[in-house]
Amino acid sequence: MSFTSAAPRIINHMNEDHADALRLYVRAFSDAVPNGPVRMTGINADTMTLHLASSDTTVRIPFDPPLESADDAHMRLVQMVQEARATLDEQSTSPS
């Protein structure tokens, strides 16, 4: 399945069912601070694009390596949530 045809389905699913994951991606993989709702506005083989409503900011988070297919997106997004949680847990438990 191509990204062009799959992107709307992926975006809708992430926005409707995984708002917590979108906030985790921003916190772990960017310098932005999600002080409000985060919505996915785009996805392709190279990046996901997220919009932070509170600051009207767009954040692009790269996929490294790029996704091989639209079907690869699900597994990679789940993997990135796990990485984000681990990264944020480490940051919160490290001594200041």
Side-chain angles (χ1 to χ4, degrees):
M1 180 181 292
S2 73
F3 277 99
T4 303
S5 61
R9 179 183 55 80
I10 294 167
I11 292 166
N12 287 336
H13 173 68
M14 292 302 294
N15 288 332
E16 290 177 12
D17 299 332
H18 299 291
D20 56 334
L22 298 176
R23 290 174 58 81
L24 283 171
Y25 298 145
V26 171
R27 290 179 55 217
F29 302 117
S30 80
D31 293 331
V33 178
N35 289 325
V38 175
R39 295 194 53 83
M40 180 179 280
T41 58
I43 187 168
N44 60 42
D46 299 311
T47 62
M48 74 172 95
T49 305
L50 306 174
H51 181 260
L52 286 64
S54 63
S55 59
D56 195 25
T57 302
T58 297
V59 174
R60 287 181 181 79
I61 298 175
F63 294 116
D64 185 23
L67 300 174
E68 294 180 16
S69 68
D71 295 331
D72 187 28
H74 175 261
M75 291 185 60
R76 186 74 64 83
L77 291 169
V78 169
Q79 177 187 24
M80 289 177 72
V81 164
Q82 294 167 346
E83 291 173 19
R85 286 182 179 138
T87 297
L88 296 170
D89 284 347
E90 288 174 14
Q91 290 174 358
S92 68
T93 60
S94 65
S96 298

